[in-house]
């Protein structure tokens, strides 16, 4: 669990008094990021546990599984386990409230804007979870039920606030395409391979993705490959191992690809402090 919230703290002993780390939950009632934050813009991470984050002050923009989410005060985002999260931008005054949870959560990103009674009810719910976990005797079962109750409310609010109708065929294909890119992106993937997997023509896929997002199919493939390469390099993979894992034909091609899209060689990126 400590690895999952590495960007928030270093050890249990160094935790602020409003935070908790356990085997199933981690909670921080409010954290202000400084200029020396470890979770940096352009440095993707894979979240192994589910995350629920609320913006208390400021603004923040995330890329999560290749989708961009802009959040402001009292916006809540729920991130599913296994998601690739990259910080795009962050305001100087940002303050976040965060939960991470190993149990049942959601299989997709949820975003909701809290208003009215939902603002205080959400805050009270998170505080109740913190108290159940932080104060003796610890009550993990209570924390679990409280978390699932909050999650159910966020799911409801998110569904009410979604701008894309689930019946929109273009939107459905686009989200299936994003899921496919997150799973299959590599140095060898091409538009016809994505189109075949979606049972549509390459021309239709290219037009649809461009019309929905303004980006190309291969823009998404490149973004996913770079994110995955960065994660592998941070995990200790050599450039050769990363190139092989990402199905590049050879190491020089991978090196050129990585530097063209990041401005750094794989070795230079690895030497940066995480």
């Amino acid at each position: 669990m400590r690895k999952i919230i590495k960007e928030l703290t270093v050890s249990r002993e160094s935790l602020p008094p409003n935070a908790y780390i356990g085997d199933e939950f981690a909670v921080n009632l409010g954290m202000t990021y400084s200029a020396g934050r470890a979770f940096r813009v352009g440095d993707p991470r894979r979240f192994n546990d589910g995350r629920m984050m609320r913006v208390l002050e400021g603004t923040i923009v995330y890329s999560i599984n290749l989708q961009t989410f802009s959040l402001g005060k009292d916006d809540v985002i729920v991130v599913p386990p296994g998601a690739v999260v990259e910080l795009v931008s962050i305001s100087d005054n940002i303050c976040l409230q965060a939960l991470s949870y190993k149990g049942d959560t959601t299989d997709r990103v949820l975003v909701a804007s809290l208003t009215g009674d939902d603002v205080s009810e959400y805050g009270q719910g998170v505080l109740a979870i913190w108290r159940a976990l932080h104060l003796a005797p610890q009550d993990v079962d209570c924390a679990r039920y409280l978390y699932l109750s909050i999650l159910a409310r966020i799911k409801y609010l998110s569904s009410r606030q979604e701008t894309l109708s689930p019946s929109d065929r273009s939107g459905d294909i686009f989200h299936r395409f994003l899921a496919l890119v997150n799973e299959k992106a590599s140095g060898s993937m091409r538009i016809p391979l994505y189109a075949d997997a979606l049972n549509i023509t390459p021309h239709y896929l290219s037009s649809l993705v461009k019309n929905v997002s303004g980006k190309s199919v291969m823009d998404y493939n490149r973004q996913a490959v770079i994110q995955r390469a960065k994660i592998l390099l941070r995990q200790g993979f050599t450039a050769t191992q990363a190139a092989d894992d990402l199905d590049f034909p050879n190491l020089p091609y991978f090196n050129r690809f990585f530097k063209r899209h990041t401005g750094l060689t794989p070795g230079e990126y690895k030497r940066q402090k995480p």
Side-chain angles (χ1 to χ4, degrees), residues 1-21:
M1 188 62 156
R2 191 173 301 167
K3 180 181 178 183
I4 304 309
I5 60 169
K6 180 180 177 182
E7 67 273 14
L8 308 188
T9 188
V10 176
S11 68
R12 294 174 191 263
E13 291 72 24
S14 64
L15 284 173
N18 63 348
Y20 167 87
I21 295 178

Side-chain angles (χ1 to χ4, degrees), residues 25 27 52-54 76-78 97 99 105 110 112 114 118 120-130 142-158:
F25 280 95
V27 185
M52 185 182 294
M53 294 178 285
R54 172 190 171 196
V76 174
I77 189 163
V78 183
Q97 189 176 71
L99 289 166
T105 176
L110 304 173
L114 303 181
D118 283 312
S120 59
E121 288 175 5
Y122 181 93
Q124 290 167 8
V126 173
L127 183 60
I129 290 173
W130 183 86
C142 179
R144 191 180 300 120
Y145 293 132
L146 287 165
Y147 178 88
L148 293 175
S149 175
I150 296 172
L151 179 62
R153 183 60 179 171
I154 296 303
K155 285 181 177 179
Y156 171 76
L157 293 174
S158 177

Side-chain angles (χ1 to χ4, degrees), residues 136-179:
Q138 189 183 83
D139 192 343
V140 177
D141 284 341
C142 179
R144 191 180 300 120
Y145 293 132
L146 287 165
Y147 178 88
L148 293 175
S149 175
I150 296 172
L151 179 62
R153 183 60 179 171
I154 296 303
K155 285 181 177 179
Y156 171 76
L157 293 174
S158 177
S159 67
R160 291 285 302 270
Q161 296 169 9
E162 281 181 347
T163 57
L164 179 64
S165 168
S167 62
D168 186 325
R169 183 169 183 269
S170 295
D172 177 65
I173 294 174
F174 178 70
H175 283 100
R176 286 166 54 207
F177 162 72
L178 287 182

Side-chain angles (χ1 to χ4, degrees), residues 63-81:
S63 169
I64 304 175
N65 289 344
L66 304 179
Q67 290 184 277
T68 301
F69 299 91
S70 300
L71 308 172
K73 182 176 172 60
D74 288 328
D75 287 340
V76 174
I77 189 163
V78 183
V79 183

Side-chain angles (χ1 to χ4, degrees), residues 17 48 50 57 63 71 96 105 113 123 127 132 192 196-197 219-220 258 270-271:
N48 295 329
E57 295 292 343
S63 169
L71 308 172
L96 300 176
T105 176
S113 297
L127 183 60
D196 286 347
D219 285 339
Y220 281 104
F258 191 89
K270 284 190 70 171
R271 287 191 291 271

Side-chain angles (χ1 to χ4, degrees), residues 5-257:
I5 60 169
K6 180 180 177 182
E7 67 273 14
L8 308 188
T9 188
V10 176
S11 68
R12 294 174 191 263
E13 291 72 24
S14 64
L15 284 173
N18 63 348
Y20 167 87
I21 295 178
D23 294 332
E24 191 170 341
F25 280 95
V27 185
N28 197 311
L29 297 180
M31 53 188 171
T32 301
Y33 281 81
S34 66
R37 67 183 72 89
F39 193 18
R40 300 177 306 182
V41 171
D43 196 13
R45 307 288 177 91
R46 187 181 296 277
F47 288 175
N48 295 329
D49 293 357
R51 297 283 184 98
M52 185 182 294
M53 294 178 285
R54 172 190 171 196
V55 179
L56 299 178
E57 295 292 343
T59 59
I60 192 166
V61 181
Y62 287 113
S63 169
I64 304 175
N65 289 344
L66 304 179
Q67 290 184 277
T68 301
F69 299 91
S70 300
L71 308 172
K73 182 176 172 60
D74 288 328
D75 287 340
V76 174
I77 189 163
V78 183
V79 183
V84 174
V85 180
E86 183 172 345
L87 188 61
V88 177
S89 66
I90 186 169
S91 64
D92 291 336
N93 64 330
I94 192 71
C95 185
L96 300 176
Q97 189 176 71
L99 289 166
S100 65
Y101 177 52
K102 279 189 174 182
D104 293 333
T105 176
T106 178
D107 59 359
R108 66 186 185 93
V109 179
L110 304 173
V111 178
S113 297
L114 303 181
T115 58
D117 291 341
D118 283 312
V119 175
S120 59
E121 288 175 5
Y122 181 93
Q124 290 167 8
V126 173
L127 183 60
I129 290 173
W130 183 86
R131 285 174 173 161
L133 295 169
H134 196 77
L135 303 178
Q138 189 183 83
D139 192 343
V140 177
D141 284 341
C142 179
R144 191 180 300 120
Y145 293 132
L146 287 165
Y147 178 88
L148 293 175
S149 175
I150 296 172
L151 179 62
R153 183 60 179 171
I154 296 303
K155 285 181 177 179
Y156 171 76
L157 293 174
S158 177
S159 67
R160 291 285 302 270
Q161 296 169 9
E162 281 181 347
T163 57
L164 179 64
S165 168
S167 62
D168 186 325
R169 183 169 183 269
S170 295
D172 177 65
I173 294 174
F174 178 70
H175 283 100
R176 286 166 54 207
F177 162 72
L178 287 182
L180 194 61
V181 175
N182 280 295
E183 179 185 358
K184 301 289 188 183
S186 73
S188 63
M189 282 297 286
R190 297 293 180 266
I191 295 173
L193 297 176
Y194 283 119
D196 286 347
L198 294 167
N199 199 29
I200 57 179
T201 68
H203 176 73
Y204 181 65
L205 175 62
S206 296
S207 298
L208 184 150
V209 171
K210 192 72 172 179
N211 289 337
V212 171
S213 69
K215 297 167 65 174
S216 72
V217 171
M218 295 311 294
D219 285 339
Y220 281 104
N221 186 78
R222 282 189 289 271
Q223 182 182 350
V225 169
I226 288 296
Q227 286 184 335
R228 195 170 302 169
K230 287 180 174 180
I231 291 170
L232 291 173
L233 293 169
R234 283 278 186 247
Q235 290 175 342
F237 279 54
T238 66
T240 300
Q241 291 169 329
D244 183 62
D245 189 85
L246 293 167
D247 202 24
F248 279 83
N250 53 63
L251 179 59
Y253 180 28
F254 171 72
N255 287 339
R256 290 194 301 270
F257 177 91

